[in-house]
Amino acid sequence: MWYWPRNATTTQLLEMMIVAIILVLLSTNGVESRKAKVSIESYDYSAVSCRSHSASLTDFGAVGDGTTSNTMSFQAAISHLSQFSSDGGSLLFVPPGRWLTGSFNLTSHFTLFLHKDAVLLGSQDENEWPVIEPLPSYGRGRDTEGGRFGSLIFGTNLTDVIITGDNGTIDGQGELWWKKFRSGQLNYTRPYLIELMYSDNIQISNLTLINSPSWNIHPVYSSNVIVQGVTILAPVTSPNTDGINPDSCTNTRIEDCYIVSGDDCVAVKSGWDQYGIAFGMPTKQLLIRRLTCISPFSAVIALGSEMSGGIQDVRAEDILAIGSESGVRIKTAAGRGGFVRDIYVRRMTMKTMKWAFWMTGNYGSHADSGYDPNALPEIRNVNYRDMVAENVTMAARLEGIPGDPFTGICISNVTIGLAAKPKKLQWNCTDVAGVSSGVVPQPCELLEEKTTTSSCEFPEDALPIDYVQLRTCSHPNKCD
């Protein structure tokens, strides 16, 4: 999909026309004319789908010097490869180099593969980031009212999309964006590194993402999503650099990831206030496992605050939290509506935390003044079990909503070691109800202690995404 940058000069338009002519010639000559032209190394990689056709980014005039813009090269390459979507799909190989680029769109039945020494660099030129409409379930941008910049890697209404590599790097060069955000200089919401909308069968794996302008990975209105083996790094003071944000998605698997973030490591979302309620698409059937997170000012796993379409059936296990504000946090408020229910967390290890557990029913930040203050969220059936923590300032802060308590909370077999100077009150509970067993220090009275050992639920059945297996694909010596 082509777009023309806003305020493009005559020279830029001429350059784009030349690329378009080259693209037409490539399409006219067909695949056969390109065989054996570009030799790249052979390698194996894991993917849900293997591809029949491939090309290198350098086939389309790209220059990996870190200063030449390659936005048009990415566009031309992907546009050319899209012709193979019904013929075994295609792979675009990004070789070693520093490849400066603005936003570009992917296509269906397509793999973007980054060599281990390949670095994608997000352009510092706003003209290389198209402005797109706000998400309908949000009604506005997250940073400002109105539109938002398209993500560095973007796609909508796609099927069978893979973004992978042998730990190649995507560097958003976000510091410029962070400064503009802090100083109020943004006219539109900052871009994300990867966003796929209204898409199905997505794999994002074996990559390092650094310095995103805002959120790193954002699948939204999508299904059958796997995020695996991804390292995400950002300064812990960088604003809103969430790691992975499944948003109104069904059947998602997040596993074996390492995240250092200026915001939540995983933030589960489904729309904002009246816009999310009207859109009505929940996030459900979500697996999170073998995650390591460092986030001194936010949560390891956050549910909300934009949860107005609902969140249901989240299963998290084998999580390591280090130096983070809270382990699991539910964020909502009157006016959000929606629900958070059937949440299951087990085998979580927490080291140096402000809170182990935090539920917030008074989280503000509404989209606009049009929300309904009587739209109360339902928070029910939240299960935590088999956890250990050390150097914790306060065990739990559980704050429901007056007249709308959070119910069905179950905490079992949890040992929380306190910091040298802990809070005097370890469990601060209001407007919540549930049970506990085998928890140290002893929970608040609103979590009724069971004399017999109670094992909080964790479902034994597998979710559909658990049955999706990656294959070993081989890339040939020569591009087709």
Side-chain angles (χ1 to χ4, degrees):
M1 179 177 179
W2 286 82
Y3 65 83
W4 304 115
R6 294 172 294 114
N7 304 321
T9 65
T10 301
T11 300
Q12 288 173 323
L13 291 173
L14 181 59
E15 290 174 349
M16 286 184 281
M17 290 174 65
I18 292 171
V19 171
I21 292 170
I22 293 171
L23 179 60
V24 170
L25 291 174
L26 285 169
S27 300
T28 303
N29 291 338
V31 178
E32 292 299 322
S33 68
R34 306 188 64 243
K35 283 189 175 181
K37 282 188 177 181
V38 179
S39 177
I40 59 178
E41 63 188 90
S42 177
Y43 52 87
D44 294 336
Y45 63 99
S46 297
V48 175
S49 302
C50 303
R51 308 303 185 193
S52 299
H53 305 271
S54 59
S56 173
L57 183 64
T58 54
D59 292 354
F60 298 86
V63 179
D65 59 3
T67 57
T68 302
S69 174
N70 296 288
T71 308
M72 290 187 292
S73 294
F74 275 104
Q75 293 171 338
I78 295 169
S79 181
H80 172 74
L81 290 171
S82 66
Q83 68 182 296
F84 305 117
S85 62
S86 60
D87 184 28
S90 59
L91 178 148
L92 178 61
F93 177 78
V94 182
R98 295 174 61 81
W99 309 94
L100 184 69
T101 181
S103 175
F104 60 89
N105 292 356
L106 303 184
T107 188
S108 292
H109 306 291
F110 174 81
T111 297
L112 178 67
F113 187 97
L114 274 64
H115 184 276
K116 64 183 176 63
D117 295 321
V119 181
L120 296 193
L121 296 170
S123 173
Q124 305 285 279
D125 181 358
E126 283 191 11
N127 289 317
E128 295 213 76
W129 303 82
V131 175
I132 60 178
E133 293 295 317
L135 293 167
S137 60
Y138 284 69
R140 51 159 287 172
R142 287 293 285 110
D143 293 340
T144 66
E145 295 182 1
R148 57 202 187 100
F149 291 105
S151 297
L152 185 65
I153 301 174
F154 183 74
T156 186
N157 295 298
L158 302 180
T159 300
D160 181 20
V161 178
I162 298 171
I163 306 169
T164 190
D166 50 359
N167 206 32
T169 300
I170 303 174
D171 183 351
Q173 300 199 105
E175 186 172 0
L176 175 68
W177 297 97
W178 306 332
K179 289 179 178 178
K180 288 183 177 182
F181 171 74
R182 290 186 177 115
S183 61
Q185 296 178 13
L186 288 171
N187 294 318
Y188 306 102
T189 291
R190 287 167 288 162
Y192 308 142
L193 280 191
I194 300 173
E195 181 178 70
L196 297 172
M197 300 174 55
Y198 300 108
S199 296
D200 183 52
N201 294 329
I202 297 167
Q203 174 192 332
I204 302 169
S205 63
N206 300 323
L207 297 167
T208 296
L209 311 183
I210 64 176
N211 299 323
S212 177
S214 186
W215 300 351
N216 279 267
I217 298 175
H218 185 224
V220 57
Y221 317 141
S222 294
S223 59
N224 302 309
V225 179
I226 294 175
V227 181
Q228 181 185 79
V230 173
T231 298
I232 297 175
L233 305 174
V236 295
T237 56
S238 55
N240 311 116
T241 50
D242 298 40
I244 304 165
N245 290 11
D247 195 342
S248 294
C249 288
T250 298
N251 213 28
T252 301
R253 190 169 93 207
I254 300 169
E255 59 189 3
D256 302 308
C257 294
Y258 178 86
I259 303 171
V260 180
S261 170
D263 211 318
D264 303 318
C265 291
V266 174
V268 186
K269 299 179 179 292
S270 66
W272 199 0
D273 290 352
Q274 71 271 29
Y275 303 105
I277 294 171
F279 198 78
M281 182 179 289
T283 288
K284 57 186 180 180
Q285 298 178 321
L286 169 62
L287 298 177
I288 306 168
R289 59 194 179 197
R290 299 185 300 275
L291 175 76
T292 298
C293 171
I294 299 173
S295 182
F297 305 107
S298 291
V300 176
I301 298 174
L303 307 167
S305 67
E306 303 89 350
M307 40 63 65
S308 301
I311 297 171
Q312 184 167 11
D313 197 355
V314 177
R315 309 178 187 188
E317 58 185 337
D318 302 314
I319 309 297
L320 174 60
I322 303 171
S324 297
E325 185 177 56
S326 57
V328 180
R329 185 180 182 190
I330 296 175
K331 300 188 288 187
T332 189
R336 286 283 193 263
F339 52 84
V340 176
R341 57 189 182 220
D342 305 332
I343 309 301
Y344 311 98
V345 185
R346 67 178 176 183
R347 297 196 300 267
M348 188 172 191
T349 300
M350 294 172 273
K351 300 183 178 184
T352 309
M353 312 290 292
K354 188 172 183 179
W355 293 286
F357 308 116
W358 191 5
M359 300 182 186
T360 310
N362 59 359
Y363 200 89
S365 183
H366 295 286
D368 54 40
S369 60
Y371 73 94
D372 178 5
N374 296 315
L376 300 178
E378 176 195 18
I379 312 300
R380 176 171 56 84
N381 192 25
V382 180
N383 299 267
Y384 303 135
R385 59 177 283 185
D386 306 334
M387 299 184 180
V388 63
E390 63 184 46
N391 197 26
V392 175
T393 303
M394 184 174 180
R397 179 178 170 184
L398 311 180
E399 305 165 317
I401 298 173
D404 181 36
F406 300 171
T407 63
I409 299 168
C410 182
I411 304 178
S412 174
N413 189 29
V414 174
T415 300
I416 300 173
L418 301 182
K421 295 182 179 180
K423 291 286 186 181
K424 189 171 183 179
L425 177 65
Q426 278 298 305
W427 290 79
N428 184 7
C429 306
T430 56
D431 299 296
V432 298
V435 298
S436 64
S437 65
V439 178
V440 178
Q442 185 174 343
C444 55
E445 293 182 356
L446 294 178
L447 300 181
E448 180 185 357
E449 185 174 7
K450 297 294 185 181
T451 55
T452 58
T453 301
S454 172
S455 181
C456 303
E457 277 190 79
F458 198 97
E460 296 183 1
D461 64 313
L463 293 175
I465 194 65
D466 236 347
Y467 295 107
V468 178
Q469 300 297 318
L470 273 58
R471 306 161 54 188
T472 297
C473 300
S474 296
H475 188 82
N477 288 322
K478 307 237 181 239
C479 292
D480 293 336

